[in-house]
Amino acid sequence: MAAHPVDEKLPALKMATSGLQHVAAMYAGVVAPPLIVGAAIGLSATDLTFLTGACLFTAGLATFLQTLGFWKIGARLPFVNGVTFAGVAPMTAIVASTEDKSDALPVIFGAVIVAGLLGFLAAPVFCKAVRFFPPVVTGSVITLIGVSLLPVAFGWAQGPDPRADDYGSTTYLTLAGITLLIVLLLRRFTRGFVKQIAVLLGLIVGTLVAIPFGVTDFSPVAHADVVGFPTPFHFGAPQFQLAAILSLCVVMVVSMTESTADMLALGEIVERPADERTIAAGLRADTLGSAISPLFNGFMCSAFAQNIGLVAMTRIRSRYVVATGGGFLVLMGLCPMAASLIAVVPRPVLGGAGVVLFGSVAASGIQTLVRAGLDRDNNVLIVAVSLAVGIIPITAPEFYHAFPETAKIVLDSGISTGCLTAVVLNLLFNHLGKGREAHDVTHPMEAGQEIAAAR
């Protein structure tokens, strides 16, 4: 009996190049949080490089837990784990409230350890929510994941620094457009392996095209060390402060909610639906990876939604490919010079490829919604309101400005709010009471037959 595509082991070259694509797709997302938090603390260039390498290293370890797994840990799906961006705001708040900035990272690490261990214990209970995720819910959430990620790609396309005068210049946007065009042409006119690594080739060609424009910066390679190891507790032993722990426990709940939605999305894409057991195992990997990460000076880990788009687009569903990507992340953490090679790719080039990657996630969500029974008005309303609530943080970023900071951790995540809205509305319309049947309700996008007849 042939192995499921998820469990397929591909030839070495294909495994390596496809795994490298996953690293390229998620690299910017992994290094952004340590760069932001490190800058807030005022770390030296050496310590900032160390912190970034540590986050790459721990992202690789967490990806191993998720893809390969052991015992009841790991979803064993092509699932990339890395530093969650949901923790950036509370971590910078912790930095701001810490008088001695040298204590900021130990306080953050202590809070992440506690939040990770509590999340690990809660995983078997949290996974029970899977029965509240029928296609109308998962389709809405998958679509929101893609839509929520697209602004990231648009930001990358405009340049590396939003405060710079040339941010959004025609040069940056042209490079993003060229990269997007290269990926599209490769997907349209090539076959087989070349077609599957179109994103990686687009990134390479886009980087080469950017050289004459003076956008490609090779200085990270020139100044990087060849070998480096994330020494445990490099910044000091963990410190445990209640306020910081509570703040990051909230982040952990948000992270687990998004990971659950991501696992359901990926299960649909690879045609191995994620059941309660899979979700519980995946959440254990997320939370255990988070608890271990601070030992090596890393932050809280979570599933990376952008890599789901890569799986959807390439149709390479092997978890061993993603595990190979995890191996590259570990090597980058151990070899700063290798890590700096990915850093050479200009942000606009990443943005052009990101349009395809993140748009593919949204398209997968739409495909799921097609099977969700949208001929029923109840389901139309669920999708309509869930998407509307989910895009609030994108279209109106200051909408929740009057809410407490803790509440905004959840509210500013369109994926989380849209997911919770879809679950609640699905319970209200499709589970509580008999409700009105679909054929008794006029579709909101169609004129009522009785009114039409009267006219």
Side-chain angles (χ1 to χ4, degrees):
M1 183 177 177
H4 190 282
V6 169
D7 299 317
E8 185 180 3
K9 295 182 179 179
L10 306 179
L13 178 61
K14 190 172 185 178
M15 194 95 76
T17 51
S18 299
L20 192 59
Q21 270 200 136
H22 279 282
V23 174
M26 55 91 75
Y27 177 84
V30 173
V31 301
L35 290 176
I36 295 170
V37 175
I41 296 172
L43 294 180
S44 65
T46 302
D47 279 342
L48 195 57
T49 300
F50 182 93
L51 183 64
T52 303
C55 287
L56 289 168
F57 179 78
T58 54
L61 296 182
T63 299
F64 284 153
L65 284 176
Q66 196 66 267
T67 54
L68 303 179
F70 67 94
W71 185 56
K72 296 182 180 179
I73 297 172
R76 294 172 175 82
L77 290 171
F79 219 43
V80 174
N81 273 45
V83 181
T84 175
F85 210 87
V88 171
M91 286 192 294
T92 53
I94 292 171
V95 172
S97 64
T98 305
E99 291 186 12
D100 186 351
K101 299 306 178 188
S102 64
D103 290 333
L105 283 175
V107 169
I108 290 171
F109 292 152
V112 171
I113 290 172
V114 174
L117 293 176
L118 291 177
F120 184 87
L121 296 175
V125 177
F126 203 92
C127 74
K128 301 293 183 184
V130 67
R131 65 180 181 273
F132 301 122
F133 288 83
V136 68
V137 174
T138 56
S140 300
V141 173
I142 298 168
T143 303
L144 274 175
I145 290 172
V147 171
S148 297
L149 287 170
L150 281 171
V152 176
F154 301 150
W156 289 344
Q158 295 179 79
D161 186 1
R163 296 165 297 182
D165 293 336
D166 61 351
Y167 186 72
S169 67
T170 54
T171 299
Y172 288 146
L173 297 182
T174 299
L175 288 173
I178 290 173
T179 304
L180 174 60
L181 180 62
I182 291 168
V183 174
L184 293 176
L185 291 175
L186 288 172
R187 291 289 299 177
R188 174 63 182 85
F189 295 107
T190 61
R191 291 185 175 184
F193 180 55
V194 173
K195 184 176 183 178
Q196 290 175 329
I197 62 168
V199 172
L200 179 60
L201 294 176
L203 292 173
I204 294 172
V205 176
T207 300
L208 295 175
V209 170
I211 293 176
F213 293 90
V215 176
T216 306
D217 181 13
F218 291 96
S219 62
V221 179
H223 295 97
D225 294 328
V226 177
V227 179
F229 183 78
T231 311
F233 304 128
H234 174 81
F235 296 99
Q239 299 179 24
F240 302 96
Q241 294 186 4
L242 181 60
I245 290 171
L246 291 176
S247 177
L248 290 187
C249 280
V250 173
V251 175
M252 179 58 73
V253 172
V254 173
S255 176
M256 292 173 73
T257 301
E258 293 189 3
S259 287
T260 298
D262 289 343
M263 276 184 269
L264 291 166
L266 188 58
E268 291 287 333
I269 291 170
V270 301
E271 298 177 356
R272 179 182 277 182
D275 55 15
E276 285 187 16
R277 180 182 299 178
T278 300
I279 292 173
L283 293 177
R284 288 192 189 99
D286 266 9
T287 53
L288 181 60
S290 295
I292 293 174
S293 184
L295 304 181
F296 298 98
N297 313 285
F299 296 143
M300 187 180 293
C301 294
S302 180
F304 262 50
Q306 53 261 54
N307 291 81
I308 296 175
L310 191 56
V311 174
M313 193 189 74
T314 63
R315 303 304 296 169
I316 297 178
R317 295 177 279 182
S318 171
R319 60 191 173 102
Y320 296 105
V321 164
V322 174
T324 302
F328 282 123
L329 290 172
V330 170
L331 289 176
M332 287 178 179
L334 298 175
C335 178
M337 184 172 287
S340 65
L341 289 174
I342 296 293
V344 167
V345 179
R347 202 62 62 86
V349 173
L350 284 173
V355 171
V356 178
L357 293 176
F358 306 156
S360 297
V361 178
S364 296
I366 294 170
Q367 288 177 330
T368 303
L369 287 175
V370 169
R371 305 195 302 270
L374 293 186
D375 54 326
R376 298 181 56 198
D377 283 2
N378 287 351
N379 287 345
V380 171
L381 291 173
I382 293 169
V383 174
V385 178
S386 300
L387 293 180
V389 171
I391 65 173
I392 286 175
I394 303 172
T395 56
E398 300 299 319
F399 191 82
Y400 300 112
H401 75 276
F403 284 75
E405 290 298 322
T406 304
K408 287 197 286 186
I409 294 173
V410 178
L411 297 174
D412 283 342
S413 169
I415 298 171
S416 295
T417 54
C419 178
L420 293 172
T421 300
V423 169
V424 171
L425 292 180
N426 179 61
L427 288 173
L428 176 64
F429 282 99
N430 292 333
H431 292 277
L432 298 180
K434 294 182 178 180
R436 298 174 67 186
E437 296 298 328
H439 61 264
D440 293 333
V441 185
T442 301
H443 195 288
M445 300 300 292
E446 297 175 350
Q449 291 181 352
E450 297 84 355
I451 297 175
R455 290 178 180 172

